[in-house]
Amino acid sequence: MPRAEREQQMMAVAEEVFAERGYVATSVDDIAERCGVSKPMIYEYFGSKEGLLVACIRQARTELAKATTESVIGAQSAEDALRRGLVAFFEFTDTHRRAWSLMLRSEAAVAGPAAAAEIEALRQEQVEIDVALFRSFLPDAPEVELEASAHVVVGACERLSLWYVSRDDVTAEQAADHIMRALWTGMQSLVRD
Amino acid sequence: MPRAEREQQMMAVAEEVFAERGYVATSVDDIAERCGVSKPMIYEYFGSKEGLLVACIRQARTELAKATTESVIGAQSAEDALRRGLVAFFEFTDTHRRAWSLMLRSEAAVAGPAAAAEIEALRQEQVEIDVALFRSFLPDAPEVELEASAHVVVGACERLSLWYVSRDDVTAEQAADHIMRALWTGMQSLVRD
DNA sequence: CAAGTAACCTACTCCGAGTAAGCTTGACCC
DNA sequence: GGGTCAAGCTTACTCGGAGTAGGTTACTTG
């Protein structure tokens, strides 16, 4: 099997088994065996067990960034952009449940500094997107308020995503709606302080 | 040294070194050596490395529950109660930075199922407190809305707490105020849906 | 066909979690 | 005093998993 294909297989298997049994409880030998190869191949391609996890996270991160970026194309207003971004986010976390719970339940911090940095980068990316968005419709709000609000939204989304994937009766649209209702009015009031 | 005292010492050392170098990168031998004893003593008292982490988390969880519970005594309204609870929460995360980052950056999920369950219990506790509070002033709102809102608040608090402990210019009161401004109006609007 | 390289293997080393078995010191009882 | 029991502690292991050294096979390319 060519390298690129084998790497994808390894990442898919790793994502599945890490999410299922946890990072610590999973041995590299396990993953290798499920792929039908031996352990040194994984070290050849990913350098370390943590490197394999980082690759999984990075791939998911790239896909999330792509999905949310594309979703806001053609938005009619800041509110519309925020809502579209939220829907895309919740859809992503729903279709990539394994990768997402991997990030959040987060084996990452425990796995090592590189994996932890990858997760922090993901959050920082989301925070920056939100700050930019808020600034666009609240140009007079102080920077510290925008940043705090962005962290509030990012945290709210993280938790709500984990909650709603555990419920079959809540859709991505409803989750996005909920964040909008809960936060939108408050966000707008920031400019009055 | 008597057992109770030794246990406290071990937990203090573990909290420090886990938060500093990470759970995986820390060996039980390290912790034992810093305590001036040998490894089997830790196994005698805590059963496993994960057991030691669970003990640290549980202690912090108990303290947090105590602090937030006490803070709302004598509150004049639901809004006052929520604000007092938030301030107590942010003060806790500030004074117990090590324990808090231990929980959230969360070595826990990686450490094993018992530690992960401990963290989930902590979040569930917070969610239930919030649901009860919201119900008290929004008796007509559907249960699913209350629960979703509680997850939003818990997630927002988690993220904001990690952000604000990294900034010296933000106080617990300001962080609590921020959550109140961002969320309070939206919360109240839920009843109109 | 020779040479190189991609994909793969077996067979290790080493470290850290967890354990077996026993030592020491002091309290308490007769 | 001596016997006994327990708490606190130790040394000296086992065992499993991360990571590595070095070699083999097979396909491509000059």
Side-chain angles (χ1 to χ4, degrees), chain A residues 78-96:
Chain A
E79 182 175 357
D80 187 33
L82 181 54
R83 185 184 302 270
R84 284 169 181 237
L86 289 171
V87 171
F89 170 82
F90 284 109
E91 277 171 354
F92 175 88
T93 61
D94 196 31
T95 49
H96 295 74

Side-chain angles (χ1 to χ4, degrees), chain B residues 1-14:
Chain B
M1 193 181 291
R3 174 166 184 154
E5 197 178 328
R6 184 67 84 189
E7 281 176 347
Q8 283 303 315
Q9 181 203 19
M10 286 169 173
M11 286 162 66
V13 169

Side-chain angles (χ1 to χ4, degrees), chain B residues 16-69:
Chain B
E16 180 178 340
V17 69
F18 282 160
E20 187 182 313
R21 300 213 299 263
Y23 176 83
V24 168
T26 303
S27 77
V28 178
D29 274 316
D30 281 348
I31 298 169
E33 196 181 347
R34 287 204 194 195
C35 292
V37 297
S38 64
K39 186 165 59 167
M41 289 308 299
I42 291 180
Y43 285 88
E44 174 72 21
Y45 291 162
F46 296 98
S48 67
K49 187 183 179 185
E50 187 186 4
L52 177 56
L53 177 62
V54 167
C56 293
I57 296 171
R58 183 160 295 166
Q59 181 168 267
R61 184 151 84 89
T62 307
E63 283 174 27
L64 175 59
K66 186 161 169 284
T68 52
T69 305

Side-chain angles (χ1 to χ4, degrees), chain A residues 164-191:
Chain A
Y164 109 93
V165 298
S166 73
R167 303 193 51 129
D168 293 338
D169 58 335
V170 183
T171 67
E173 281 77 15
Q174 287 169 337
D177 269 2
H178 197 94
I179 299 261
M180 290 300 291
R181 282 206 306 279
L183 294 171
W184 185 251
T185 328
M187 292 294 104
Q188 291 175 306
S189 79
L190 288 178
V191 80

Side-chain angles (χ1 to χ4, degrees), chain A residues 94-134:
Chain A
D94 196 31
T95 49
H96 295 74
R97 285 169 196 232
R98 280 206 300 258
W100 188 245
S101 76
L102 237 194
M103 289 190 255
L104 290 200
R105 314 263 313 269
S106 146
E107 326 278 322
V110 171
E118 199 62 29
I119 297 287
E120 257 326 287
L122 182 146
R123 288 207 179 96
Q124 199 50 42
E125 217 168 72
Q126 299 293 314
V127 165
E128 278 158 21
I129 289 170
D130 286 352
V131 165
L133 181 62
F134 296 159

